[in-house]
Amino acid sequence: ALSIPIDTAEETKRTFGYTGDASNPYVKDVMQLSSYPLFGEVARLSLMYERKYNQTIEGIILSGGGARLPG
């Protein structure tokens, strides 16, 4: 989305994450756009679970590289 090489994009993602980069304000926007579908699906599934089993989900543990991103 930013027309930068993949290696640079990965480094930028790991360095700035969701906090963004002052020199390139679009980094934060691109990060959010790519993750909104995932977080929306997690929210939908957790709500379905809570309704079906009548139990409240108190927390969700994220794993993988994306869980370590700043912000």
Side-chain angles (χ1 to χ4, degrees):
L2 298 174
S3 299
I4 58 176
I6 292 175
D7 294 340
T8 304
E10 284 294 321
E11 182 179 332
T12 302
K13 177 178 78 173
R14 289 187 187 110
T15 303
F16 299 106
Y18 293 99
T19 58
D21 179 10
S23 65
N24 189 346
Y26 298 110
V27 169
K28 181 178 179 180
D29 295 338
V30 169
M31 291 288 298
Q32 289 175 340
L33 284 173
S34 65
S35 61
Y36 277 162
L38 170 66
F39 292 136
E41 186 69 8
V42 169
R44 187 182 71 78
L45 289 173
S46 61
L47 183 60
M48 285 175 49
Y49 178 90
E50 288 179 345
R51 287 181 178 167
K52 182 175 181 177
Y53 295 105
N54 198 27
Q55 292 182 339
T56 302
I57 296 176
E58 295 181 17
I60 296 174
I61 298 173
L62 301 176
S63 63
R68 300 178 59 201
L69 293 176

